Amino acid sequence: MTDLSRFPITQKWPAQHPDRLQLYSLPTPNGVKVSIMLEETGLAYEPHLVSFETHDQMSPEFLSLNPNNKIPAILDPHGPGGKPLALFESGAILLYLADKTGKLIPQDAAGRYETIQWLMFQMGGIGPMFGQLGFFNKFAGKDYEDKRPRDRYVAESKRLLGVLDKRLANRAWIMGDDYTIADIASFPWIRNLIGFYEAGDLVGFSEFKNVARVLETFVARPAAVKGLGIPKRG
């Protein structure tokens, strides 16, 4: 049996199944990227809830794995060379799991880098911009009398949706016929924008018919249906 005791994070979240990949997360757009990916690939894993309500992400145990105090993070007992690997940042984890399983990323070099390109589009654009829009539309930022900050993120979010909508014209998925980590990265954020952030009307989501079409297909995938709720909130 794999011994993970040298990793301090296992003191706060003991591994009941240490031979399985350990997931430390919360069902947010970034968190569910990894749970959906794990469900899609069929890898055995054990999820652990990192509660923001009790500031678990600031605990010494969590920081020992991710000094940036963000979810998700993983501890794979069967990493490269058969040694345990701790990893954080959702994009890096998606790439790692795609390479580990040989799934959800093209095997040819050109297709691989094009997929990574769209993964970075989400990481550098969709995630940060949608997140800021959510802050100014739903959370503390909504009370600001000056709406210029909100409108800045509305405009940029609409622009990003337009880029993606054009990409998805006559395509089943971002990379064409094949579902990839680029889709897994992007569509939880789009779902969150029009759902939890309540910003669908604000960005004119009905205009982006290709994005809406693919989002509907995405949320109907069995792995997405399951992964969107993992880890279960306490």
Side-chain angles (χ1 to χ4, degrees):
M1 181 176 290
T2 306
D3 182 9
L4 299 178
S5 61
R6 69 182 180 88
F7 293 92
I9 197 166
T10 63
Q11 297 172 15
K12 186 173 179 67
W13 292 278
Q16 301 299 315
H17 304 280
D19 285 334
R20 300 179 186 179
L21 184 146
Q22 305 294 304
L23 170 64
Y24 309 94
S25 191
L26 188 68
T28 66
N30 280 334
V32 299
K33 293 177 191 176
V34 178
S35 54
I36 291 171
M37 179 68 174
L38 288 165
E39 290 294 325
E40 290 281 0
T41 60
L43 283 172
Y45 71 101
E46 181 178 348
H48 303 278
L49 180 71
V50 180
S51 174
F52 288 180
E53 293 180 0
T54 54
H55 305 290
D56 283 350
Q57 76 276 20
M58 301 303 298
S59 66
E61 294 88 353
F62 188 78
L63 292 172
S64 71
L65 192 149
N66 183 1
N68 195 36
N69 65 273
K70 304 291 184 183
I71 59 94
I74 64 169
L75 175 56
D76 184 0
H78 307 294
K83 298 179 180 179
L85 174 69
L87 203 60
F88 64 89
E89 282 295 332
S90 59
I93 295 171
L94 288 179
L95 276 171
Y96 170 70
L97 295 175
D99 287 344
K100 179 182 177 72
T101 61
K103 297 179 179 180
L104 299 170
I105 193 167
Q107 297 304 300
D108 65 289
R112 174 183 170 82
Y113 283 113
E114 190 177 355
T115 304
I116 293 172
Q117 165 187 268
W118 285 100
L119 174 63
M120 295 301 107
F121 174 79
Q122 183 280 308
M123 297 292 294
I126 286 177
M129 295 301 105
F130 287 13
Q132 293 293 343
L133 175 52
F135 172 79
F136 283 103
N137 187 56
K138 182 167 183 176
F139 299 106
K142 72 179 184 300
D143 297 324
Y144 293 5
E145 292 185 11
D146 186 348
K147 297 305 179 186
R148 286 175 295 179
R150 185 204 67 177
D151 292 346
R152 165 188 165 88
Y153 294 113
V154 169
E156 182 61 6
S157 295
K158 291 181 72 171
R159 188 190 71 81
L160 292 166
L161 286 167
V163 172
L164 190 57
D165 198 68
K166 185 176 180 180
R167 172 70 178 182
L168 291 169
N170 303 313
R171 290 174 181 265
W173 299 104
I174 292 174
M175 287 300 296
D177 292 336
D178 294 329
Y179 177 73
T180 69
I181 57 174
D183 304 294
I184 293 175
S186 297
F187 284 100
W189 273 103
I190 296 166
R191 173 180 176 267
N192 207 64
L193 178 72
I194 65 175
F196 184 66
Y197 288 162
E198 302 172 354
D201 290 341
L202 199 59
V203 299
F205 188 73
S206 61
E207 302 171 17
F208 306 105
K209 298 188 183 304
N210 295 314
V211 175
R213 166 181 53 84
V214 180
L215 174 62
E216 184 176 356
T217 304
F218 171 79
V219 297
R221 292 180 69 90
V225 171
K226 188 172 181 180
L228 284 167
I230 295 175
K232 291 184 178 179
R233 294 180 183 271

